[in-house]
Amino acid sequence: MPATLLRIHPENPPHSRIQQAVEVLRKGGVIIYPTDTVYGIGCDVTNAKAVEKVCRIKKLIPEKANLSFICHDLSHISDYAHGITTSTYKVIKKALPGPFTFIFEASSNAPRFGGTKRKTVGIRVPDNQIILQLVKELGNPIVSTSVREDENTIDEYVTDPDLIFEKYRMLVDLVIDGGFGGNVPSTIIDCTDDDFELIRQGAGDIEQYL
């Protein structure tokens, strides 16, 4: 079945449309959604089969894939990560929602991609009302990986929801059109040593929050 293209207002997403997307996720569907950086491909983090499908689409090995996931707010982070000090928490509280992926030590509750227990977990809280409302309504984080195929190249389709739909319509279950997206990914920061080690410079500047 080809995917559905669902247009949602980026600033005031109607609850009925958010609910429509949530139903797809609850049935094990894979969706494409807007963030505050690049459009993402994802699913309910608790659905192992859906996570495997995301990995197949991106040609990733589940147990080796560095999939991050999107939380609605900071309250979710403590469920999946541990060892977060007060000083680290103060920084991420200032930086989120925003274009960052923070890497922490994984707690025992962290999802097992490919059945493998993870040592670390990447967390995102994007500054985008569509995906935040979707995660809140779902009640679980959403697996997140970029629609970009190669981080070193910029393809025209990654910013245009109609072009994304044409490319992925036979691979996913739903594409959310929340307006044009960006082509610069999130900034990745490793916080596992109670430090803020820059792994990848993206759209966010962590220095202004330190």
Side-chain angles (χ1 to χ4, degrees), residues 44-139:
D44 183 339
V45 77
T46 65
N47 191 309
K49 286 188 176 180
V51 172
E52 289 174 5
K53 183 176 178 181
V54 170
C55 290
R56 283 199 304 273
I57 292 169
K58 288 297 299 284
K59 297 179 175 62
L60 302 171
I61 301 171
E63 54 268 29
K64 295 182 179 180
N66 291 320
L67 299 170
S68 58
F69 52 87
I70 293 176
C71 295
H72 171 253
D73 56 27
L74 295 182
S75 65
H76 258 149
I77 293 179
S78 59
D79 293 338
Y80 300 101
H82 68 75
I84 304 175
T85 64
T86 301
S87 58
T88 298
Y89 185 83
K90 286 180 178 178
V91 172
I92 65 173
K93 188 176 181 181
K94 288 188 288 185
L96 297 176
F100 297 95
T101 300
F102 289 105
I103 299 174
F104 302 102
E105 287 185 30
S107 74
S108 58
N109 294 329
R112 298 180 177 222
F113 302 139
T116 302
K117 188 180 187 307
R118 311 193 73 72
K119 293 181 179 179
T120 60
V121 63
I123 305 268
R124 282 217 66 199
V125 183
D127 188 12
N128 179 282
Q129 281 303 306
I130 293 174
I131 189 60
L132 290 184
Q133 291 302 317
L134 206 160
V135 173
K136 183 179 181 181
E137 188 72 22
L138 178 65

Side-chain angles (χ1 to χ4, degrees), residues 8 10 13-14 23 32 40 56 71-72 82 115 149 155 202:
I8 301 181
E23 286 305 312
I32 292 178
R56 283 199 304 273
C71 295
H72 171 253
H82 68 75
E149 292 183 333
D155 296 304

Side-chain angles (χ1 to χ4, degrees), residues 142-163:
I142 292 177
V143 165
S144 180
T145 181
S146 167
V147 296
R148 291 174 64 179
E149 292 183 333
D150 184 347
E151 289 200 359
N152 297 315
T153 61
I154 296 176
D155 296 304
E156 182 187 6
Y157 77 86
V158 302
T159 63
D160 187 331
D162 288 320
L163 296 180

